[in-house]
């Protein structure tokens, strides 16, 4: 028996046979063995949106060919009163037809717009009129004539960037008071007389209204307790009856039982201290303190120092502050804190779905899909606040400036 043999009969090595390709696979692809996978860019394009916070807005430096003198596009604006009406009428965009908002959200947007007071920031007027001296002189003349009132909210900044300085037409103020439900005719007439008599004063004369009348106006937001500004002489002064600003007695609070209503000042302590607004108005209506057919009874005069106010002023100031901060945050994402105006407008609007063929093609090339307006920050947080309105506000406050580039239109940069 020979000792030579081959390993073929007992070897465990096996060769893989090539798989037979179907006719369809072999004919359709010249590379049948390659794994077919989507590219990473296409996979990321589904989740990428125009409001990506990590994306750089603009990386190049723009040419500066001179600042824009005024942002007014309507040449019919002649005086301060006409400019104020123009600013109020062009504050919000109209509701889009395909906005992606349900009926509840649409009602919230409309109710918020309706609840805002008819005030206009002073800085916004300066952005639409060239001469600041002419604006201030006309504001002083209209205030002295009783046509215009100036509202100053303490603690909201100083200088041009302050949001505490606002203007309101007296006729709009009177219309707001008369349209408020639940006020007696005598109360409205008394309030309007005081509003017209003290054209240059923010405080109402003590003893003019009764305690019931003053309480009702404070709950509606048309009066507030006069706040004394703090200075080096009165910061550490011991509070007394003259400086407390309320009719709440500390002794009665100390004697009240813990956990009771008297321990926190009793019913209406917040409104007696100067609080109020729609929340207090609703609470008063629920408890029967204020109804549509109420008849005021003459009672003791209110000797507190009260000042005129407008309801929902805090909501307006918060909206204004957030809009300014958001616009500056968008500009700060560029390398040189400046960007073309059209690009900044597109980012503010959130890249909403457009019906134009060119806009759809451009967005398809950039690799993202358009979103509905109701899903953008412009409508979620700012209730449809217009980009031009916010830009004019920031220019008037001295936060940004608009300049001509000569190549890409106008540019905007942070001052």
């Amino acid at each position: 028996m020979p000792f030579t043999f081959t390993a073929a009969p007992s070897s465990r090595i096996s060769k893989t046979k090539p798989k037979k390709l179907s006719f369809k696979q072999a004919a359709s692809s010249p590379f049948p063995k390659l794994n077919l996978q989507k590219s990473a860019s296409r996979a990321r394009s589904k989740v990428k949106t125009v409001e990506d916070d990590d994306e750089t807005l603009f990386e190049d430096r723009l040419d500066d060919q001179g600042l824009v003198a005024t942002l007014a596009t309507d040449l019919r604006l002649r005086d301060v009163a006409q400019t104020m009406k123009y600013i109020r009428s062009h504050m919000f965009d109209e509701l889009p037809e395909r906005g992606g908002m349900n009926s509840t959200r649409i009602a919230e947007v409309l109710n918020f717009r309706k609840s805002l007071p008819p005030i206009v920031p002073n800085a916004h007027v300066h952005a639409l009129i060239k001469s600041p001296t002419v604006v201030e002189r006309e504001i002083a003349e209209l205030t002295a004539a009783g046509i215009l009132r100036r509202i100053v909210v303490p603690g909201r900044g100083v200088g041009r960037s302050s949001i505490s300085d606002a203007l309101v037409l007296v006729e709009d103020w009177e219309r707001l008071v008369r349209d408020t439900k639940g006020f007696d005719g005598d109360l409205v007439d008394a309030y309007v007389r005081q509003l017209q008599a003290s054209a240059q004063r923010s405080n109402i004369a003590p003893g003019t209204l009764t305690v019931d009348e003053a309480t009702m106006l404070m709950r509606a937001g048309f009066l507030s307790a006069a706040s004394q500004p703090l200075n080096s002489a009165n910061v550490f002064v011991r509070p007394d009856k003259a400086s407390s600003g309320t009719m709440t007695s500390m002794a009665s609070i100390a004697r009240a039982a813990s956990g009771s209503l008297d321990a926190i000042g009793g019913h209406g302590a917040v409104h007696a201290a100067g609080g109020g607004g729609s929340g207090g108005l609703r609470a008063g209506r629920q408890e029967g303190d204020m109804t549509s057919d109420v008849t005021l009874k003459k009672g003791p005069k209110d000797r507190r120092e009260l000042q005129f106010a407008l309801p929902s002023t805090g909501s307006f100031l918060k909206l204004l502050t957030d809009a300014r901060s958001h616009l500056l945050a968008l500009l700060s994402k560029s390398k040189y804190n400046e960007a073309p105006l059209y690009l900044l407008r597109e980012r503010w609007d959130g890249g909403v779905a457009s019906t134009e063929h060119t806009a759809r093609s451009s967005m398809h090339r950039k690799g993202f899909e358009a979103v509905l307006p109701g899903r953008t920050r412009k409508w979620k947080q700012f209730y449809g606040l217009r980009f031009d309105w916010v830009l004019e506000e920031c220019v008037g406050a001295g936060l940004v400036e608009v300049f001509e580039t000569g190549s890409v239109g106008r540019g905007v940069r942070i001052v």
Side-chain angles (χ1 to χ4, degrees):
M1 179 178 179
F3 291 97
T4 60
F5 61 94
T6 61
S10 62
S11 176
R12 296 181 180 179
I13 301 175
S14 61
K15 298 181 180 180
T16 58
K17 296 181 180 181
K19 297 180 180 180
K20 294 183 179 181
L21 301 176
S22 62
F23 175 77
K24 182 178 180 180
Q25 183 178 2
S28 60
S29 176
F31 306 101
K33 295 184 179 181
L34 295 179
N35 295 327
L36 299 180
Q37 297 179 354
K38 292 183 179 180
S39 62
S41 60
R42 292 184 59 187
R44 291 193 301 265
S45 63
K46 293 184 178 181
V47 298
K48 183 178 180 181
T49 61
V50 293
E51 288 189 311
D52 190 2
D53 294 337
D54 297 333
E55 184 181 355
T56 303
L57 179 63
F58 198 70
E59 297 182 352
D60 300 330
R61 184 178 290 275
L62 297 174
D63 296 334
D64 188 358
Q65 296 187 359
L67 297 177
V68 177
T70 178
L71 298 180
T73 57
D74 193 348
L75 300 179
R76 295 173 297 178
L77 300 179
R78 300 293 182 182
D79 53 8
V80 173
Q82 188 178 12
T83 304
M84 291 175 59
K85 295 180 179 179
Y86 174 84
I87 293 173
R88 290 190 54 212
S89 61
H90 292 75
M91 185 175 180
F92 295 100
D93 281 333
E94 297 182 357
L95 292 175
E97 296 181 359
R98 296 178 62 252
M101 297 180 289
N102 54 17
S103 58
T104 304
R105 179 56 184 170
I106 293 177
E108 291 177 357
V109 172
L110 295 179
N111 290 333
F112 178 82
R113 295 181 178 183
K114 186 178 180 180
S115 65
L116 293 180
I119 60 178
V120 176
N122 189 17
H124 205 136
V125 179
H126 284 272
L128 300 181
I129 301 180
K130 294 183 179 180
S131 177
T133 306
V134 175
V135 173
E136 292 297 333
R137 185 184 297 113
E138 187 174 356
I139 290 176
E141 294 175 356
L142 294 177
T143 303
I147 301 175
L148 187 70
R149 291 192 70 93
R150 200 163 192 163
I151 300 177
V152 178
V153 181
R156 295 285 183 168
V158 294
R160 292 185 61 186
S161 61
S162 171
I163 61 174
S164 62
D165 192 2
L167 306 173
V168 57
L169 295 175
V170 176
E171 59 178 359
D172 294 338
W173 199 326
E174 294 179 4
R175 187 183 305 110
L176 184 62
V177 176
R178 297 185 185 277
D179 293 342
T180 302
K181 297 180 180 180
F183 282 174
D184 185 74
D186 296 336
L187 174 61
V188 174
D189 295 338
Y191 183 85
V192 171
R193 285 195 301 268
Q194 289 297 320
L195 190 66
Q196 296 175 349
S198 55
Q200 297 182 351
R201 292 180 53 189
S202 60
N203 297 343
I204 189 171
T208 304
L209 303 173
T210 63
V211 176
D212 295 336
E213 293 175 342
T215 303
M216 186 174 295
L217 290 171
M218 291 175 69
R219 289 179 178 178
F222 290 101
L223 285 180
S224 63
S227 58
Q228 182 180 2
L230 296 178
N231 50 46
S232 58
N234 61 6
V235 171
F236 302 103
V237 175
R238 179 180 179 272
D240 54 6
K241 295 182 179 180
S243 61
S244 60
T246 67
M247 300 180 66
T248 305
S249 174
M250 298 298 296
S252 61
I253 293 178
R255 290 192 300 266
S258 177
S260 62
L261 187 62
D262 295 334
I264 58 174
H267 178 70
V270 176
H271 303 287
S278 58
L281 181 60
R282 288 193 298 267
R285 288 179 178 176
Q286 292 175 0
E287 298 176 10
D289 293 336
M290 182 176 180
T291 57
S292 58
D293 55 349
V294 65
T295 302
L296 294 177
K297 297 180 180 180
K298 296 300 181 180
K301 297 296 183 178
D302 195 335
R303 299 297 177 181
R304 291 173 294 177
E305 186 178 359
L306 303 176
Q307 62 182 5
F308 294 103
L310 282 171
S312 302
T313 303
S315 301
F316 178 83
L317 296 180
K318 184 180 184 302
L319 177 67
L320 182 60
T321 304
D322 294 342
R324 284 185 180 184
S325 302
H326 182 55
L327 186 66
L328 294 179
L330 292 178
L331 277 175
S332 63
K333 293 178 182 178
S334 59
K335 187 175 181 180
Y336 299 100
N337 291 335
E338 60 184 16
L341 181 61
Y342 76 91
L343 186 60
L344 188 61
R345 182 193 303 272
E346 179 183 349
R347 184 61 62 89
W348 175 270
D349 293 337
V352 296
S354 177
T355 57
E356 298 181 2
H357 177 71
T358 55
R360 294 199 305 266
S361 302
S362 176
M363 297 175 70
H364 179 71
R365 290 193 303 269
K366 292 178 182 179
F368 57 81
E369 299 179 357
V371 296
L372 294 176
R375 300 184 180 273
T376 60
R377 183 177 297 185
K378 173 183 177 180
W379 289 94
K380 279 187 174 182
Q381 183 179 358
F382 303 125
Y383 302 90
L385 194 63
R386 295 179 67 248
F387 168 77
D388 293 332
W389 195 93
V390 182
L391 181 63
E392 294 167 358
E393 175 65 28
C394 292
V395 170
L399 302 176
V400 300
E401 58 185 10
V402 182
F403 58 95
E404 297 287 349
T405 62
S407 57
V408 293
R410 292 181 175 182
V412 185
R413 61 166 167 252
I414 300 178
V415 178

